[in-house]
Amino acid sequence: MNYVRNFAPWIVFAAIPSTNWQWGALAALVVTVAMAAQDHRAGRGVDLPAYSTAAFFLVLAPIAFAVPDSGFHRYVGAASFGWLAVTAWASLAMRNPFTLVIARRTTPREIWELPAFLRVNVVITVAWAASFTVTAIALYLVKANDLSSALAIAVQAGGFVLPAMFTARYPAIVQARHAA
């Protein structure tokens, strides 16, 4: 459920009809700022995914309001998944997988420094990064070829659901392997 919270701004953006994309961008920005403020007040600090999300919507909202009929509107779904992909790959390049922040919310502190904990989060972050990358490309192709909106929705849903399912199962698989 932590992943739903972390992706809440993106979910809010996707939930608002694309004809009102500027309002979706603004709502996502408001949710991002509110979540960052809540994390800061709770002493958790603000993490890379939060900064990245804020940056995306800080740029997108003014563009969407200034030019709501922009051709970019057609590809904003692909761009958002592309941005998430860059964020996930960058977190791996910095040796700080973005899933660590989320995992630490439900994992005892004494486990955080274990090499296995980091390895599990690297694998999970790779799964998210790959999913975001494939989804960005697929959404671009769907839009560029004027394929159905239902297909675009299915691609977007798969871009979140598949790595979320992997994330839910992979730690248990590792634990079972370790126990055996």
Side-chain angles (χ1 to χ4, degrees):
M1 213 49 162
N2 274 323
Y3 285 91
V4 173
R5 181 194 183 281
N6 276 50
F7 291 120
W10 301 94
I11 294 167
V12 166
F13 179 64
I16 294 177
S18 68
T19 53
N20 298 315
W21 71 301
Q22 66 273 37
W23 295 106
L26 182 61
L29 179 59
V30 168
V31 169
T32 302
V33 170
M35 288 173 48
Q38 182 183 29
D39 284 347
H40 181 71
R41 279 192 306 277
R44 288 190 288 262
V46 180
D47 54 49
L48 173 66
Y51 280 122
S52 176
T53 299
F56 183 83
F57 289 115
L58 275 169
V59 171
L60 182 64
I63 291 170
F65 276 101
V67 194
D69 296 329
S70 163
F72 179 66
H73 172 241
R74 176 183 185 89
Y75 298 101
V76 74
S80 64
F81 273 93
W83 187 266
L84 287 167
V86 168
T87 301
W89 290 117
S91 77
L92 288 164
M94 293 186 299
R95 299 185 185 274
N96 188 19
F98 84 89
T99 58
L100 280 174
V101 173
I102 301 163
R104 286 179 178 151
R105 289 188 179 132
T106 57
T107 305
R109 185 176 286 278
E110 58 270 10
I111 294 177
W112 294 4
E113 300 304 321
L114 296 177
F117 182 70
L118 178 60
R119 270 195 309 277
V120 164
N121 278 280
V122 166
V123 170
I124 291 172
T125 299
V126 166
W128 282 96
S131 179
F132 292 152
T133 302
V134 169
T135 302
I137 294 166
L139 278 175
Y140 174 80
L141 293 172
V142 165
K143 292 299 183 174
N145 292 296
D146 291 321
L147 301 177
S148 79
S149 294
L151 179 59
I153 291 168
V155 168
Q156 286 179 319
F160 280 113
V161 171
L162 294 175
M165 290 171 51
F166 177 77
T167 300
R169 293 188 175 121
Y170 184 68
I173 292 168
V174 171
Q175 287 175 342
R177 218 180 287 155
H178 182 67

